[in-house]
Amino acid sequence: MVADSEYQYDLLVIGAGSGGVRAARMAAATGANVAIVEDRYLGGTCVNVGCVPKKLYAYAAHFHDSFDDAAGFGWQLSEPATFDWATLRDNKTSEIKRLNNIYQRMLEGADVTLLSARGRLVDAHTVALEDENGVTHVSAKKILLATGGWPWVPDFPGNEHALDSNQVFDLDTFPKRFMVLGGGYIAVEFASIFNGLGSETHLIYRGDLFLKAFDHEVREFTRKEMDKKGVNLHFNANIERIEAIETGYNVHLTTGETLEVDAVLAATGRNANIQGLGLEELGIQLDGNGKILVNAHYETQLPSVLALGDLTAGPELTPVALAEAMQLVDYHFKDTTPTRLDYTTVPTAVFCQPNIGTVGLSEEGARQKFTNIRVYSTEFRAMKHTLSGSQERTLMKLIVDDATDIVVGAHMVGEEAGEIIQGIAIAVRAGLTKQDFDLTVGIHPTGAEEFVTMRTVTRH
């Protein structure tokens, strides 16, 4: 693509997270003149305060179980294992700095101009850049908004004492008594993480059961397993107020109960990070959830202004933002019309203990969509735990459209569920049938082979 001389840039990206960086690099590879604006950190939420540090902390939390499991296999620890928060926190910080540098080198290598400033839309082709030196203006043929999400904390007395999911990674001291407010995947993950690291952990959720967007059987199974591991679950409850006391915080619940803790995490969701972008002034519309409305080509009401990732209504997942960035570049800079991304077969994982992995429809969703379905499920104690002594159990589940025999959903709760479901997701995305699963030879002995050996229909 030949650069358009009418503007300073062919593409100006606001936000150097996963989606923004991918779009900038891929557009530059077509010959476009590209710049990216970032005022905080390279890599966005995922690298700095999201999936990367969270997964590192989840690994750390899992060692607690591993030490216990080892005894049944003949390993004896000479001294009780101890955990040092500062080591984990600081090693995590070093790794993130390394990744920040990698992102910078990738942008430089792609000839993308990095503008360290805060960007705000002025008109359909102009962005105001604000830094310590003042405000300047740059123009672009197309502007991509990729600023991601930002944590939201509910309004209640004392909410200033609550941490959000950006802050929880860098606590000065380890909280021996930890509370999480929320019922989404971030809340469930951090409850498992701090429980595994040794905190007395409480999860507070206003509903009957957490993870409301997931398969109900998966939710119930996860509740039982987290309860067995010692997470204190408080459903149909909410925080009424938090008050600081000399020894921590008194948290008053709507149930009348008061709990004393050292830290409270409000993992109550993330909103589109649109504050100060200038959307309202330009008439760029939002949906009922505060997300930017875009068409099939990621265009807002102003065709030159694009948006993707957590700013829009799709799943708030890094791989989704990456896939959207590739499609956006294909259409706007390669003049091709890519196949529309299939959001119904996007796999996801929850890195609680044990892990959850899922792809496709839940049982409830399948019953709404299809006239008849078959459900295959199995629950078992993994071979590993016959010697470890752990009572942890695994759940695996397949959902099949009875009319076509196509597997429309696959779910797992158990060790390495995310790793296993990633492979199963290919089969679900390809529309393979239950017979295809049945004809696939399993790897023995593994837990994953259960997905190709399930023959008994548990319910229709």
Side-chain angles (χ1 to χ4, degrees):
M1 177 177 177
V2 178
D4 193 321
S5 59
E6 182 180 350
Y7 305 101
Q8 291 171 266
Y9 299 102
D10 297 307
L11 175 66
L12 181 69
V13 181
I14 303 179
S18 299
V21 169
R22 176 64 62 86
R25 292 175 56 228
M26 295 301 102
T30 69
N33 185 13
V34 181
I36 192 165
V37 180
E38 178 58 56
D39 70 335
R40 187 171 289 109
Y41 34 52
L42 298 179
T45 296
C46 180
V47 168
N48 294 277
V49 288
C51 25
V52 170
K54 174 193 70 180
K55 188 67 181 291
L56 293 175
Y57 281 18
Y59 282 136
H62 188 67
F63 279 106
H64 180 276
D65 286 344
S66 297
F67 293 143
D68 289 342
D69 293 346
F73 292 88
W75 290 94
Q76 300 297 322
L77 298 178
S78 57
E79 297 178 4
T82 59
F83 169 68
D84 182 63
W85 168 257
T87 299
L88 173 62
R89 180 196 62 207
D90 296 348
N91 285 346
K92 175 271 305 176
T93 299
S94 297
E95 172 60 10
I96 288 175
K97 288 180 179 177
R98 185 184 73 86
L99 294 175
N100 293 151
N101 291 332
I102 288 175
Y103 269 74
Q104 182 164 348
R105 290 197 297 272
M106 285 194 301
L107 290 170
E108 291 171 350
D111 291 326
V112 174
T113 301
L114 175 60
L115 303 172
S116 298
R118 182 167 184 80
R120 176 177 55 83
L121 291 170
V122 175
D123 59 38
H125 296 283
T126 308
V127 171
L129 303 179
E130 182 177 357
D131 59 20
E132 66 275 8
N133 298 317
V135 178
T136 57
H137 293 80
V138 293
S139 63
K141 185 176 182 180
K142 293 184 184 293
I143 300 168
L144 170 60
L145 306 177
T147 50
W150 198 256
W152 171 77
V153 177
D155 185 18
F156 54 78
N159 70 345
E160 70 273 12
H161 300 303
L163 303 163
D164 63 37
S165 57
N166 286 356
Q167 300 167 319
V168 71
F169 295 103
D170 295 301
L171 302 178
D172 291 334
T173 58
F174 181 72
K176 294 183 179 179
R177 301 164 302 174
F178 187 71
M179 177 180 288
V180 184
L181 173 66
Y185 71 94
I186 296 175
V188 172
E189 287 173 333
F190 275 107
S192 281
I193 285 169
F194 278 89
N195 178 67
L197 296 178
S199 290
E200 175 194 298
T201 303
H202 298 267
L203 176 66
I204 313 298
Y205 180 52
R206 64 183 180 179
D208 295 332
L209 187 61
F210 48 39
L211 299 173
K212 65 180 180 180
F214 286 73
D215 181 275
H216 187 77
E217 187 175 9
V218 167
R219 299 164 68 199
E220 283 285 2
F221 189 87
T222 303
R223 177 190 63 79
K224 294 176 185 177
E225 291 302 306
M226 288 183 65
D227 183 68
K228 284 195 301 189
K229 288 181 180 296
V231 178
N232 298 286
L233 302 171
H234 305 259
F235 296 122
N236 297 305
N238 211 333
I239 293 180
E240 187 175 84
R241 71 182 189 277
I242 302 175
E243 58 181 359
I245 58 176
E246 187 175 343
T247 54
Y249 300 98
N250 271 338
V251 183
H252 301 268
L253 304 181
T254 53
T255 58
E257 188 176 7
T258 299
L259 297 172
E260 184 177 336
V261 297
D262 301 310
V264 180
L265 168 64
T268 43
R270 298 174 72 89
N271 293 333
N273 186 20
I274 57 175
Q275 190 72 28
L277 278 181
L279 304 184
E280 186 176 352
E281 293 84 345
L282 297 186
I284 293 177
Q285 296 179 11
L286 308 178
D287 65 16
N289 295 316
K291 302 278 191 172
I292 298 175
L293 287 170
V294 295
N295 62 17
H297 307 307
Y298 307 100
E299 296 169 335
T300 67
Q301 284 71 32
L302 296 176
S304 61
V305 179
L306 316 173
L308 55 65
D310 292 358
L311 290 182
T312 61
E316 297 177 1
L317 299 168
T318 294
V320 169
L322 295 172
E324 290 177 344
M326 299 295 287
Q327 291 203 324
L328 183 151
V329 170
D330 283 348
Y331 181 81
H332 290 278
F333 293 91
K334 294 183 179 179
D335 297 322
T336 62
T337 303
T339 302
R340 184 69 172 156
L341 184 62
D342 181 6
Y343 293 100
T344 66
T345 55
V346 173
T348 190
V350 183
F351 296 108
C352 51
Q353 297 295 341
N355 294 178
I356 300 171
T358 181
V359 62
L361 294 172
S362 65
E363 180 177 341
E364 296 73 39
R367 292 192 186 282
Q368 291 178 0
K369 184 172 182 178
F370 300 106
T371 303
N372 294 298
I373 65 170
R374 303 193 307 273
V375 179
Y376 300 80
S377 64
T378 181
E379 178 189 327
F380 57 92
R381 188 177 177 214
M383 177 181 177
K384 170 183 175 180
H385 296 314
T386 60
L387 295 188
S388 76
S390 171
Q391 297 305 306
E392 179 178 300
R393 297 184 68 77
T394 296
L395 170 71
M396 294 182 178
K397 182 174 183 178
L398 291 175
I399 300 161
V400 180
D401 171 25
D402 196 47
T404 63
D405 198 43
I406 292 174
V407 177
V408 296
H411 309 271
M412 176 179 173
V413 185
E415 188 171 357
E416 301 294 357
E419 302 288 346
I420 293 171
I421 288 293
Q422 178 66 84
I424 300 295
I426 300 171
V428 174
R429 172 68 182 84
L432 298 189
T433 64
K434 182 63 169 64
Q435 184 180 32
D436 291 321
F437 277 65
D438 293 345
L439 293 175
T440 302
V441 177
I443 301 172
H444 185 75
T446 65
E449 69 178 314
E450 294 290 332
F451 274 117
V452 299
T453 60
M454 283 189 275
R455 298 289 190 274
T456 303
V457 178
T458 55
R459 53 192 169 275
H460 287 277

